[in-house]
Amino acid sequence: MNRPMRTRRGATLASLAAELGVSRTTVSNAYNRPDQLSPELRRRVLETARRLGYPGPDPVARSLRTRKAGAVGLLLTENLSYAFRDPAAVGVLEGLALACEDAGVGLHLVPASPGREEVAAVHRAGVDGFVVYSVPDDDPHLAAVLSRPVPTVVVDQPRLDGVDRVSPDDETAIVRVAEHVVGLGHRQIGVLCMRLGRDRNDSFASLDRQKTAHYHVQRTRLAALARTFEAAGVDWNTVPVVERFNHTVDDGATAARQLLDAHPRVTALICTSDILALGALAEAGRRGLRVPADLTITGFDGIAEASRAGLTTVHQPVLEKGRAAGKLLLEAGDRVSPKVITLPTELRVGTTSAPPRTAEEQWFGP
């Protein structure tokens, strides 16, 4: 007959303290406050713990006692893979991770797929605070975060009264792009933008949809483009704006295809992200259009792929954005007034922007 297998009962903090003849506080300090013990005593505690199979203080029990989870939550209302696929998101995530490393705390990703209403992941996340990365102002996960009694920092959007935020000056940055494009002589201009709401719209965005967008970064950029174009004599009502719900190079390509099929006389495409602009570049190549001789294309973000493609774009420090958000959250303390950090941006003119064909003909013609 097989005899039942006996498992050795694991050592506990109390049994380890008894074995050593010291208090439980001394054992705990060996792990959590090593500066409170002499090097020799700490070495003896840790060696005895290894011999007895003691794994260390229970982190769950410790968090209940201290009411600290030792982790920062990142709310990302995208599929989890987005955080590791989108270059701008990767930069923000890296910066946030660096801030957490410096503070000796963990990072807990709380993804929420677009359109999902279930917010249980937010409520059960064991974190000491949240960084909210670029979500719409009507997202239920955002409301769930704000209902918890922990500090919150918003990256990019939305703007919330009384909540810390880190973001670039989107209005000033996109105005520089618009002034560059109209300054080159372009008047037949199209726009490719990221999603404007939680509902899917992979088509032209109406004026009403633009003005009521729940993603205020896109709303701000479109409004700034409209003002700049109007000042240059371009009626915004005539400017086609194509929206894409997903944010991939392929989506940028199909958006450019949709716009150029309907408006073949367009000589410039302003894209509200580099990813969309890279897709537009791919579509221009597919159509046999020369960039920038036949079509000017601009982006926004300044990711490495855009630099390699020579894209005219706005560069924003995405890694610093994540790091600043993490530091702001971890250093919040008892501060009662909100703090807003506005990061610098730079228009980097590359090889994808030039005067339109008609301007070239008038300039170089007889």
Side-chain angles (χ1 to χ4, degrees):
M1 178 184 294
N2 292 331
R3 302 179 67 178
M5 189 176 192
R6 292 189 178 183
T7 57
R8 181 181 177 183
R9 173 180 265 179
T12 65
L13 185 145
S15 64
L16 179 58
E19 174 77 13
L20 290 162
V22 299
S23 69
R24 286 185 293 179
T25 298
T26 297
V27 174
S28 178
N29 284 343
Y31 291 90
N32 301 318
R33 302 178 66 190
D35 59 303
Q36 299 295 306
L37 306 182
S38 68
E40 173 58 28
L41 178 56
R42 182 168 186 262
R43 181 190 61 77
R44 189 159 64 90
V45 170
L46 296 179
E47 285 184 354
T48 305
R50 281 192 293 272
R51 177 169 57 82
L52 297 181
Y54 176 64
D58 183 352
V60 175
R62 181 176 183 275
S63 66
L64 289 173
R65 184 175 66 255
T66 63
R67 302 189 67 82
K68 290 290 185 181
V72 167
L74 173 64
L75 177 67
L76 179 74
T77 54
E78 299 285 348
N79 294 318
L80 183 58
S81 59
Y82 183 85
F84 303 95
R85 183 184 71 246
D86 182 86
V90 169
V92 171
L93 183 60
E94 181 182 358
L96 178 57
L98 289 171
C100 290
E101 286 178 8
D102 290 343
V105 300
L107 180 58
H108 182 111
L109 296 184
V110 188
S113 299
R116 181 182 295 175
E117 301 294 324
E118 175 57 54
V119 298
V122 172
H123 290 301
R124 64 171 175 257
V127 297
D128 299 317
F130 283 95
V131 171
V132 176
Y133 179 44
S134 196
V135 307
D137 53 27
D138 63 341
D139 193 283
H141 302 89
L142 171 65
V145 164
L146 297 176
S147 72
R148 293 191 52 175
V150 294
T152 299
V153 175
V154 170
V155 173
D156 288 342
Q157 57 190 341
R159 292 192 184 105
L160 298 170
D161 292 337
V163 178
D164 294 344
R165 189 177 78 255
V166 178
S167 67
D169 185 343
D170 286 286
E171 182 174 355
T172 299
I174 202 69
V175 164
R176 292 194 188 108
V177 175
E179 290 177 341
H180 171 69
V181 171
V182 298
L184 290 171
H186 292 278
R187 295 298 182 270
Q188 299 291 328
I189 305 169
V191 176
L192 307 184
C193 74
M194 296 168 65
R195 73 172 72 130
L196 299 177
R198 292 197 295 139
D199 58 317
R200 179 179 288 273
N201 177 52
D202 289 317
S203 188
F204 291 90
S206 66
L207 289 175
D208 181 65
R209 184 171 178 82
Q210 295 173 38
K211 293 177 181 177
T212 60
H214 287 283
Y215 284 90
H216 94 250
V217 167
Q218 299 300 304
R219 186 176 70 239
T220 297
R221 293 180 188 177
L222 292 175
L225 288 173
R227 288 192 298 273
T228 308
F229 288 172
E230 293 280 0
V234 178
D235 184 357
W236 182 251
N237 293 296
T238 67
V239 176
V241 177
V242 171
E243 175 186 354
R244 280 296 180 267
F245 187 80
N246 290 328
H247 190 227
T248 68
V249 172
D250 287 344
D251 285 289
T254 61
R257 187 176 312 152
Q258 186 175 23
L259 191 149
L260 292 173
D261 282 348
H263 300 272
R265 293 177 60 84
V266 161
T267 62
L269 288 178
I270 293 180
C271 307
T272 63
S273 79
D274 286 346
I275 292 295
L276 295 179
L278 291 171
L281 284 172
E283 174 59 18
R286 191 189 72 84
R287 301 171 85 96
L289 294 175
R290 298 167 300 165
V291 177
D294 298 322
L295 184 66
T296 280
I297 298 176
T298 68
F300 197 112
D301 282 331
I303 63 175
E305 291 88 339
S307 178
R308 288 194 289 268
L311 185 68
T312 293
T313 187
V314 169
H315 178 269
Q316 60 167 321
V318 290
L319 188 144
E320 181 55 32
K321 184 191 293 184
R323 190 198 293 268
K327 291 180 64 177
L328 192 57
L329 181 73
L330 293 165
E331 297 171 0
D334 297 325
R335 177 163 47 82
V336 292
S337 58
K339 186 173 182 179
V340 175
I341 297 176
T342 303
L343 298 173
T345 60
E346 177 189 0
L347 174 63
R348 295 183 177 177
V349 178
T351 59
T352 64
S353 57
R357 293 180 302 271
T358 54
E360 290 178 331
E361 292 166 0
Q362 292 171 1
W363 182 261
F364 295 106

